[in-house]
Amino acid sequence: MRYVKLIDSMKSFLMYWREYSGGSPEEMFSGWLTAYISNFPEFLIFETSYWRGLEKLGRRMMEKVFPRLDELIHDLIEAWMNFLQNVDQVCMLASEKLRFQKPPIIGIYVGSGWKPRLVSSILDEPMLFIDLGGLASLRWVGEREVRGVIAFGLGQLHHAIARGGVRELEKLESDPFTMLYVQGYAQFLENLILGAESWHGLGEGWLEKCGEREADLAEIYLEAAERRRVEEFYDPEGEVAGLKLPGRYLGYMLVSRLREQGMSLMEISNLSEERVRRLSEDFLREMAGR
């Protein structure tokens, strides 16, 4: 039985990199478009849609990606190898625990870098996009990290399918309180799929520190939500109160609370926007001691 439908662009990427390595960012972007990504329209559509246009995408890549690409190539290849060695097993575990109706579609490529949402729709078909260049830039290239990223992405894919499409997740991401729920659901499923406290990319001691400071984190999140500026809670290159990605911890605790109250995963995945917003805000206020 097949557990995944894989679109692997990495051999084409390496051919592009060998030709354009050492070029200026402008040359590398031009080559990325013509010699590589144009052969995989799914990835180009995802990237231009995410950045809302080719101009913004190009600026992002010329500033953030191409100046570092040559130094990251070995980490990028390591992430690719670990992905290929683990994707079948992680998808098998996800199929057993989440009951996907058909094999998930996963694409691996090198694009603009890490993104908090890894899913999109291509021809109305939900698909998981994993940017290995983004993983390399974060040093999330070992087996444990890569397995966690796959499981987290499958959690987002499951959520999108359960809610009727990726656009539903996109709408939820526009509000700080519903964003907490989206990220927390994916993190909850990452741990469920792998059967362990996975928390990809966050290292030893992170969970305990979040637990010790959860009241402060909840208070800071509420204050940030009032300004509708919670990006740092989900940005692995930033920190809040000295901790990376605390939004994933808070969201996970929210979803865990709902499970403890007796909700099934299907009930949690299909909560209305209004109810999610209310549950999230009430949960944070309680955690903050307000």
Side-chain angles (χ1 to χ4, degrees):
M1 178 179 177
R2 295 184 62 196
Y3 292 102
V4 61
K5 181 178 179 182
L6 182 60
I7 302 173
D8 183 353
S9 71
M10 296 309 296
K11 290 181 181 178
S12 180
F13 167 77
L14 289 176
M15 291 175 63
Y16 147 76
W17 175 76
R18 289 187 185 109
E19 181 176 352
Y20 287 89
S21 173
S24 68
E26 292 78 11
E27 291 169 338
M28 294 186 78
F29 181 61
S30 177
W32 181 85
L33 283 175
T34 59
Y36 168 51
I37 211 71
S38 61
N39 297 316
F40 301 90
E42 306 94 333
F43 302 129
L44 182 56
I45 291 168
F46 174 60
E47 287 286 346
T48 53
S49 174
Y50 187 90
W51 292 103
R52 302 186 186 280
L54 190 60
E55 183 178 350
K56 289 184 179 179
L57 168 62
R59 188 161 57 246
R60 159 79 184 187
M61 296 192 69
M62 286 187 282
E63 291 176 357
K64 300 290 186 179
V65 177
F66 296 123
R68 296 188 63 201
L69 187 56
D70 288 354
E71 71 182 70
L72 293 175
I73 194 66
H74 295 296
D75 283 338
L76 199 153
I77 292 171
E78 182 179 350
W80 180 31
M81 293 297 99
N82 277 318
F83 176 90
L84 294 178
Q85 291 167 12
N86 287 277
V87 64
D88 285 335
Q89 187 195 34
V90 175
C91 287
M92 180 185 71
L93 292 171
S95 178
E96 291 173 351
K97 294 179 181 180
L98 303 180
R99 306 297 180 192
F100 282 106
Q101 295 299 306
K102 52 186 176 180
I105 305 171
I106 304 181
I108 52 174
Y109 73 112
V110 177
S112 62
W114 175 89
K115 303 168 187 64
R117 175 170 43 83
L118 307 179
V119 297
S120 189
S121 290
I122 300 297
L123 299 176
D124 294 325
E125 190 80 16
M127 177 174 166
L128 174 56
F129 294 79
I130 296 183
D131 185 338
L132 297 181
L135 301 192
S137 69
L138 295 168
R139 300 301 304 274
W140 293 356
V141 299
E143 181 178 35
R144 184 175 185 273
E145 290 81 9
V146 170
R147 286 172 64 87
V149 170
I150 297 169
F152 185 89
L154 289 170
Q156 287 193 341
L157 191 67
H158 179 270
H159 203 180
I161 293 169
R163 294 190 72 91
V166 174
R167 289 184 181 178
E168 296 302 311
L169 286 194
E170 293 175 356
K171 286 196 297 184
L172 291 171
E173 289 171 343
S174 66
D175 180 275
F177 294 111
T178 51
M179 177 69 163
L180 189 80
Y181 155 76
V182 169
Q183 291 283 302
Y185 187 84
Q187 182 61 61
F188 187 90
L189 291 194
E190 175 186 335
N191 291 1
L192 177 67
I193 290 167
L194 297 178
E197 295 286 340
S198 178
W199 306 100
H200 66 269
L202 291 167
E204 188 175 347
W206 176 88
L207 186 61
E208 291 77 11
K209 291 175 183 176
C210 285
E212 292 168 1
R213 303 208 57 188
E214 64 180 22
D216 292 336
L217 292 173
E219 181 64 40
I220 297 169
Y221 196 99
L222 286 165
E223 294 171 356
E226 292 177 3
R227 305 190 303 272
R228 301 184 68 84
R229 296 296 301 274
V230 297
E231 295 86 353
E232 287 187 351
F233 281 83
Y234 306 105
D235 181 358
E237 295 182 336
E239 289 187 352
V240 176
L243 292 164
K244 293 184 179 297
L245 294 170
R248 276 177 30 196
Y249 171 82
L250 295 172
Y252 173 86
M253 296 303 291
L254 166 66
V255 175
S256 296
R257 168 74 65 84
L258 299 178
R259 284 290 285 143
E260 289 166 3
Q261 292 173 349
M263 284 192 194
S264 69
L265 283 179
M266 189 54 65
E267 288 173 319
I268 295 171
S269 68
N270 280 294
L271 290 168
S272 69
E273 289 184 50
E274 181 180 350
R275 191 175 179 197
V276 167
R277 193 175 294 109
R278 185 175 67 253
L279 286 169
S280 297
E281 185 170 4
D282 289 348
F283 172 78
L284 289 169
R285 287 182 177 277
E286 179 185 340
M287 182 177 279
R290 286 193 181 186

